[in-house]
Amino acid sequence: MDDDVTRVYTEGGTVTHYLDTLQSPNAQDSEAMCGRTPWPGMWHGTGSQEEEEKAADLRHCSQCRAVLGHRRNGWLTL
Ligand SMILES: [Zn+2]
């Protein structure tokens, strides 16, 4: 279901945000769907298997989910 997004989190973060696959997870100015940037750190979640698993396990940002749902369905799925 999440194939078209990159799941990322910030250093010490407690939620996973969604990055459009056009946005690089290695760029500090890449905005998640909710508008959040990793500043002053970097996005994590794609560097290793361990990071990918953590990104999958964390609670997913409700705003990112809402934006993604809106894109897919044309209505909010909160
Ligand atoms: Zn978010």
Side-chain angles (χ1 to χ4, degrees):
M1 168 178 175
D2 294 329
D3 292 339
D4 56 346
V5 298
T6 306
R7 289 176 290 192
V8 291
Y9 57 91
T10 54
E11 184 75 49
T14 55
V15 297
T16 291
H17 297 276
Y18 297 159
L19 274 190
D20 194 293
T21 49
L22 297 173
Q23 301 257 27
S24 169
N26 298 316
Q28 204 167 39
D29 60 352
S30 285
E31 283 187 10
M33 289 185 178
C34 64
R36 168 108 199 217
T37 68
W39 182 266
M42 295 291 292
W43 290 123
H44 297 272
T46 61
S48 65
Q49 182 72 27
E50 198 175 316
E51 288 193 356
E52 282 179 26
E53 284 173 9
K54 179 171 176 181
D57 283 348
L58 289 174
R59 191 168 61 80
H60 291 192
C61 170
S62 58
Q63 284 187 59
C64 282
R65 289 177 51 167
V67 172
L68 186 61
H70 186 76
R71 280 194 191 180
R72 285 176 174 167
N73 306 318
W75 42 270
L76 297 177
T77 51
L78 279 176

